[in-house]
Amino acid sequence: MHRNLNDGSPALPDRRLRIGYLSCNFADHPVGRNLAPVLLHRNRQAFEAVCFAEVDEPDAFGRNLLDSADRWIRTTDRNDTEVAALIAAERIDILVVLAGHLDRNRLTVAAHRPAPIQISYHDAATSGLAAMDYLLTDRFLCPPNGTEQFTERLLRLPSLMYMAPLPAKLMPERPADAPLVFANLNAPAKLTEPVIAAWAEILRTLPQARLLFRHRDAYAMPDCRENLSAAFARHGVYPTQLDFRGGTGGDPLDIYHDVDVVLDSFPFSGSTTTFESLWMGVPVVTLPTDSMVGRWSAAILSAAGRQGWIARDRSDYVQLSLALARDRQAIRKDLRRGQFRDHLQAVLCNGPRKAAQLERLYRAVWARWRSVDKSKPSL
């Protein structure tokens, strides 16, 4: 399905562009929070924003987000062909598909080609669609010499991610005699056998240390705790070193009162949890892989100027974790004074800059589209 582009209006390079955003994540969700500054701080004279929302009833955050667009249209009662027709009827110049592979997002709508330019944003990998023109990324997630394959042309921002600032609460120093506590706050599905083996090696080396787990209410489920305990037992680590936290009550940031070092998962790394850890003054050790899903934490650490916490290989991951654990003065006092926050605010929490960076890319791909095929009908 191709939009009828010949509507008689001029294809001026600097005219106001109609940007469509297609997602089910217009909500208090990492994707929604990343999109918020793009909508709130956009140049309204240069860009019109239309949201196509796979949302039955927006939450409060989602309602504010959708209301910040020029207009929004619910798509839940339409199939892909109907959604594509709707986008074409709205005469969208650039369609941005958000996190297409995840949740209830409508990636396959893009296969109908309802807009002349189509961009994948905040997805975890290539769309695999010939109709998807571009993938937004950065040089940390997709290094120029990377081995991951994409059907899209890569558009690299200085940093892909925007992170909303968190409360500027200071963490109390951990008592000198408190047991050393590592933590992982990612979803249990990310805890693969290789990462469990690496964590078990760390815990065997430091038998007085504990490893804390929390992810929403996942660890409130007995089966989850029992299965993970059995996996560690196979590597010689027993339940006395494991601390499972369940439930979602209270301030989720308070968990960092009890944490010295966060151990990232691999090959699927954290993202929001990594940012939260740094914000609260807790170091994160990560082992990036050759794919985008394994490089989110490395991208955040690189932007934050903490490349020294990015491991080269599994052995380096274990040694970095042990080195941080043994430097208790740094992790229990110096790092807990909020010293990262100004830098994080500047590089990851700057909404106006994020909006301006994206708008420059939108203009660039629009100019390229106009120049590639001189026979294209007028827009």
Short mmCIF file of all heavy atoms in Angstrom, two decimals, residues 45-81:
data_model
loop_
_atom_site.label_atom_id
_atom_site.label_comp_id
_atom_site.label_asym_id
_atom_site.label_seq_id
_atom_site.Cartn_x
_atom_site.Cartn_y
_atom_site.Cartn_z
N GLN A 45 6.74 24.57 14.60
CA GLN A 45 6.59 25.20 13.29
C GLN A 45 7.12 24.32 12.17
O GLN A 45 6.68 24.41 11.02
CB GLN A 45 7.32 26.56 13.27
CG GLN A 45 6.61 27.67 14.03
CD GLN A 45 6.64 27.44 15.52
OE1 GLN A 45 7.70 27.14 16.09
NE2 GLN A 45 5.50 27.58 16.18
N ALA A 46 8.08 23.45 12.50
CA ALA A 46 8.74 22.63 11.48
C ALA A 46 8.23 21.20 11.42
O ALA A 46 8.37 20.54 10.38
CB ALA A 46 10.25 22.63 11.72
N PHE A 47 7.62 20.71 12.52
CA PHE A 47 7.22 19.30 12.58
C PHE A 47 5.84 19.16 13.20
O PHE A 47 5.57 19.72 14.28
CB PHE A 47 8.23 18.50 13.40
CG PHE A 47 9.61 18.47 12.81
CD1 PHE A 47 10.56 19.41 13.20
CD2 PHE A 47 9.95 17.53 11.84
CE1 PHE A 47 11.82 19.40 12.64
CE2 PHE A 47 11.21 17.52 11.28
CZ PHE A 47 12.15 18.46 11.68
N GLU A 48 5.02 18.41 12.53
CA GLU A 48 3.70 18.04 13.04
C GLU A 48 3.79 16.59 13.51
O GLU A 48 4.29 15.73 12.78
CB GLU A 48 2.65 18.18 11.94
CG GLU A 48 1.24 17.80 12.36
CD GLU A 48 0.25 17.95 11.21
OE1 GLU A 48 0.65 18.44 10.14
OE2 GLU A 48 -0.91 17.56 11.41
N ALA A 49 3.31 16.30 14.71
CA ALA A 49 3.40 14.96 15.28
C ALA A 49 2.02 14.34 15.39
O ALA A 49 1.10 14.92 15.97
CB ALA A 49 4.05 15.02 16.66
N VAL A 50 1.90 13.13 14.80
CA VAL A 50 0.65 12.37 14.87
C VAL A 50 0.98 11.01 15.47
O VAL A 50 1.85 10.29 14.97
CB VAL A 50 0.03 12.18 13.47
CG1 VAL A 50 -1.31 11.45 13.59
CG2 VAL A 50 -0.16 13.53 12.78
N CYS A 51 0.30 10.65 16.57
CA CYS A 51 0.55 9.37 17.24
C CYS A 51 -0.54 8.36 16.87
O CYS A 51 -1.73 8.68 16.95
CB CYS A 51 0.57 9.56 18.75
SG CYS A 51 1.96 10.55 19.33
N PHE A 52 -0.11 7.18 16.46
CA PHE A 52 -1.02 6.08 16.16
C PHE A 52 -0.86 5.08 17.30
O PHE A 52 0.14 4.37 17.40
CB PHE A 52 -0.67 5.46 14.80
CG PHE A 52 -0.77 6.46 13.68
CD1 PHE A 52 0.33 7.20 13.28
CD2 PHE A 52 -1.99 6.67 13.04
CE1 PHE A 52 0.24 8.12 12.26
CE2 PHE A 52 -2.09 7.59 12.00
CZ PHE A 52 -0.98 8.32 11.62
N ALA A 53 -1.86 5.04 18.19
CA ALA A 53 -1.71 4.42 19.50
C ALA A 53 -2.46 3.09 19.58
O ALA A 53 -3.69 3.05 19.49
CB ALA A 53 -2.22 5.37 20.58
N GLU A 54 -1.69 2.03 19.77
CA GLU A 54 -2.25 0.71 20.04
C GLU A 54 -2.51 0.63 21.55
O GLU A 54 -1.91 -0.16 22.28
CB GLU A 54 -1.28 -0.37 19.56
CG GLU A 54 -1.81 -1.78 19.64
CD GLU A 54 -2.92 -2.10 18.66
OE1 GLU A 54 -3.18 -1.27 17.75
OE2 GLU A 54 -3.52 -3.18 18.78
N VAL A 55 -3.41 1.48 22.01
CA VAL A 55 -3.67 1.65 23.44
C VAL A 55 -5.17 1.71 23.65
O VAL A 55 -5.85 2.54 23.04
CB VAL A 55 -3.01 2.95 23.96
CG1 VAL A 55 -3.33 3.15 25.44
CG2 VAL A 55 -1.50 2.92 23.74
N ASP A 56 -5.68 0.84 24.53
CA ASP A 56 -7.11 0.87 24.83
C ASP A 56 -7.47 2.08 25.68
O ASP A 56 -8.38 2.84 25.36
CB ASP A 56 -7.52 -0.42 25.55
CG ASP A 56 -7.41 -1.63 24.64
OD1 ASP A 56 -7.85 -1.54 23.48
OD2 ASP A 56 -6.87 -2.66 25.08
N GLU A 57 -6.76 2.26 26.78
CA GLU A 57 -7.01 3.39 27.68
C GLU A 57 -5.68 3.86 28.24
O GLU A 57 -5.05 3.18 29.03
CB GLU A 57 -7.95 2.97 28.83
CG GLU A 57 -8.40 4.12 29.69
CD GLU A 57 -9.17 5.19 28.89
OE1 GLU A 57 -9.97 4.81 28.02
OE2 GLU A 57 -8.94 6.38 29.15
N PRO A 58 -5.21 5.05 27.84
CA PRO A 58 -3.90 5.51 28.30
C PRO A 58 -3.86 5.72 29.81
O PRO A 58 -4.85 6.12 30.42
CB PRO A 58 -3.72 6.85 27.56
CG PRO A 58 -4.73 6.85 26.47
CD PRO A 58 -5.86 6.00 26.93
N ASP A 59 -2.69 5.43 30.42
CA ASP A 59 -2.50 5.82 31.81
C ASP A 59 -2.24 7.33 31.85
O ASP A 59 -2.26 8.01 30.81
CB ASP A 59 -1.38 5.01 32.46
CG ASP A 59 -0.02 5.20 31.79
OD1 ASP A 59 0.16 6.18 31.03
OD2 ASP A 59 0.87 4.37 32.04
N ALA A 60 -2.02 7.87 33.04
CA ALA A 60 -1.88 9.33 33.17
C ALA A 60 -0.69 9.85 32.38
O ALA A 60 -0.79 10.88 31.68
CB ALA A 60 -1.76 9.71 34.65
N PHE A 61 0.43 9.13 32.44
CA PHE A 61 1.61 9.54 31.69
C PHE A 61 1.31 9.48 30.19
O PHE A 61 1.64 10.40 29.43
CB PHE A 61 2.79 8.64 32.03
CG PHE A 61 4.09 9.05 31.39
CD1 PHE A 61 5.00 9.82 32.08
CD2 PHE A 61 4.40 8.66 30.09
CE1 PHE A 61 6.20 10.20 31.49
CE2 PHE A 61 5.59 9.04 29.49
CZ PHE A 61 6.50 9.81 30.20
N GLY A 62 0.69 8.37 29.76
CA GLY A 62 0.38 8.21 28.35
C GLY A 62 -0.59 9.26 27.84
O GLY A 62 -0.46 9.74 26.70
N ARG A 63 -1.57 9.62 28.66
CA ARG A 63 -2.52 10.65 28.25
C ARG A 63 -1.81 11.99 28.02
O ARG A 63 -2.04 12.66 27.01
CB ARG A 63 -3.60 10.81 29.32
CG ARG A 63 -4.56 11.96 29.10
CD ARG A 63 -5.41 11.80 27.87
NE ARG A 63 -6.32 10.67 27.98
CZ ARG A 63 -7.25 10.39 27.06
NH1 ARG A 63 -7.34 11.14 25.97
NH2 ARG A 63 -8.05 9.35 27.21
N ASN A 64 -0.93 12.36 28.95
CA ASN A 64 -0.16 13.60 28.76
C ASN A 64 0.73 13.53 27.53
O ASN A 64 0.88 14.51 26.79
CB ASN A 64 0.68 13.89 30.00
CG ASN A 64 -0.16 14.30 31.19
OD1 ASN A 64 -1.26 14.84 31.03
ND2 ASN A 64 0.35 14.06 32.39
N LEU A 65 1.33 12.35 27.31
CA LEU A 65 2.21 12.17 26.17
C LEU A 65 1.43 12.32 24.86
O LEU A 65 1.84 13.06 23.95
CB LEU A 65 2.87 10.80 26.25
CG LEU A 65 3.87 10.41 25.16
CD1 LEU A 65 5.04 11.37 25.15
CD2 LEU A 65 4.35 8.98 25.37
N LEU A 66 0.30 11.63 24.76
CA LEU A 66 -0.50 11.71 23.54
C LEU A 66 -1.07 13.10 23.32
O LEU A 66 -1.15 13.59 22.19
CB LEU A 66 -1.63 10.67 23.61
CG LEU A 66 -1.17 9.21 23.52
CD1 LEU A 66 -2.30 8.27 23.90
CD2 LEU A 66 -0.67 8.89 22.11
N ASP A 67 -1.46 13.76 24.40
CA ASP A 67 -2.01 15.11 24.27
C ASP A 67 -0.96 16.12 23.85
O ASP A 67 -1.30 17.21 23.38
CB ASP A 67 -2.66 15.55 25.59
CG ASP A 67 -3.98 14.83 25.86
OD1 ASP A 67 -4.52 14.21 24.92
OD2 ASP A 67 -4.45 14.89 27.00
N SER A 68 0.32 15.79 24.02
CA SER A 68 1.37 16.71 23.59
C SER A 68 1.61 16.65 22.09
O SER A 68 2.31 17.50 21.53
CB SER A 68 2.68 16.41 24.35
OG SER A 68 3.21 15.15 23.95
N ALA A 69 1.07 15.62 21.43
CA ALA A 69 1.14 15.54 19.96
C ALA A 69 0.09 16.48 19.35
O ALA A 69 -0.80 16.99 20.04
CB ALA A 69 0.89 14.11 19.50
N ASP A 70 0.20 16.71 18.06
CA ASP A 70 -0.83 17.52 17.40
C ASP A 70 -2.16 16.80 17.39
O ASP A 70 -3.21 17.42 17.52
CB ASP A 70 -0.38 17.87 15.97
CG ASP A 70 0.79 18.84 15.98
OD1 ASP A 70 0.56 20.04 16.17
OD2 ASP A 70 1.94 18.38 15.82
N ARG A 71 -2.10 15.47 17.23
CA ARG A 71 -3.31 14.66 17.37
C ARG A 71 -2.87 13.21 17.53
O ARG A 71 -1.75 12.84 17.21
CB ARG A 71 -4.25 14.82 16.17
CG ARG A 71 -3.67 14.45 14.83
CD ARG A 71 -4.64 14.87 13.70
NE ARG A 71 -4.12 14.57 12.39
CZ ARG A 71 -3.21 15.32 11.75
NH1 ARG A 71 -2.71 16.39 12.34
NH2 ARG A 71 -2.79 14.99 10.54
N TRP A 72 -3.81 12.40 18.03
CA TRP A 72 -3.52 10.98 18.15
C TRP A 72 -4.76 10.18 17.79
O TRP A 72 -5.89 10.65 17.95
CB TRP A 72 -2.99 10.64 19.54
CG TRP A 72 -3.93 10.75 20.69
CD1 TRP A 72 -4.27 11.86 21.38
CD2 TRP A 72 -4.66 9.66 21.30
NE1 TRP A 72 -5.15 11.56 22.39
CE2 TRP A 72 -5.40 10.23 22.36
CE3 TRP A 72 -4.73 8.28 21.06
CZ2 TRP A 72 -6.22 9.44 23.19
CZ3 TRP A 72 -5.55 7.51 21.87
CH2 TRP A 72 -6.28 8.08 22.92
N ILE A 73 -4.49 8.96 17.30
CA ILE A 73 -5.56 8.11 16.78
C ILE A 73 -5.36 6.72 17.36
O ILE A 73 -4.27 6.14 17.29
CB ILE A 73 -5.50 8.05 15.23
CG1 ILE A 73 -5.63 9.47 14.64
CG2 ILE A 73 -6.58 7.13 14.69
CD1 ILE A 73 -5.23 9.55 13.19
N ARG A 74 -6.41 6.17 17.93
CA ARG A 74 -6.36 4.81 18.49
C ARG A 74 -6.42 3.79 17.35
O ARG A 74 -7.23 3.93 16.43
CB ARG A 74 -7.51 4.61 19.47
CG ARG A 74 -7.48 3.28 20.20
CD ARG A 74 -8.62 3.16 21.19
NE ARG A 74 -8.41 3.94 22.40
CZ ARG A 74 -9.04 5.06 22.69
NH1 ARG A 74 -9.96 5.55 21.86
NH2 ARG A 74 -8.79 5.70 23.82
N THR A 75 -5.59 2.75 17.43
CA THR A 75 -5.52 1.75 16.35
C THR A 75 -5.98 0.37 16.81
O THR A 75 -5.92 -0.59 16.03
CB THR A 75 -4.08 1.63 15.82
OG1 THR A 75 -3.21 1.22 16.89
CG2 THR A 75 -3.59 2.95 15.25
N THR A 76 -6.45 0.23 18.04
CA THR A 76 -6.71 -1.10 18.59
C THR A 76 -7.83 -1.86 17.88
O THR A 76 -7.89 -3.08 17.96
CB THR A 76 -7.05 -1.00 20.08
OG1 THR A 76 -8.09 -0.03 20.26
CG2 THR A 76 -5.82 -0.58 20.88
N ASP A 77 -8.70 -1.16 17.20
CA ASP A 77 -9.83 -1.83 16.55
C ASP A 77 -9.61 -2.02 15.06
O ASP A 77 -10.56 -2.26 14.31
CB ASP A 77 -11.12 -1.04 16.79
CG ASP A 77 -11.03 0.39 16.27
OD1 ASP A 77 -9.91 0.85 15.96
OD2 ASP A 77 -12.09 1.06 16.18
N ARG A 78 -8.35 -1.93 14.60
CA ARG A 78 -8.05 -2.04 13.17
C ARG A 78 -6.98 -3.10 12.94
O ARG A 78 -6.08 -3.28 13.76
CB ARG A 78 -7.56 -0.69 12.62
CG ARG A 78 -8.59 0.44 12.68
CD ARG A 78 -7.95 1.73 12.19
NE ARG A 78 -8.93 2.79 11.98
CZ ARG A 78 -9.29 3.66 12.88
NH1 ARG A 78 -8.77 3.61 14.10
NH2 ARG A 78 -10.17 4.61 12.60
N ASN A 79 -7.04 -3.78 11.78
CA ASN A 79 -5.98 -4.70 11.41
C ASN A 79 -4.85 -3.93 10.73
O ASN A 79 -4.95 -2.70 10.52
CB ASN A 79 -6.52 -5.84 10.53
CG ASN A 79 -7.09 -5.34 9.21
OD1 ASN A 79 -6.62 -4.36 8.62
ND2 ASN A 79 -8.12 -6.03 8.71
N ASP A 80 -3.77 -4.64 10.37
CA ASP A 80 -2.60 -3.95 9.83
C ASP A 80 -2.92 -3.19 8.55
O ASP A 80 -2.44 -2.05 8.35
CB ASP A 80 -1.49 -4.98 9.53
CG ASP A 80 -0.78 -5.44 10.79
OD1 ASP A 80 -1.11 -4.93 11.89
OD2 ASP A 80 0.12 -6.31 10.67
N THR A 81 -3.69 -3.78 7.67
CA THR A 81 -4.04 -3.11 6.42
C THR A 81 -4.81 -1.83 6.69
O THR A 81 -4.57 -0.78 6.05
CB THR A 81 -4.86 -4.04 5.53
OG1 THR A 81 -4.10 -5.23 5.26
CG2 THR A 81 -5.21 -3.38 4.21
#
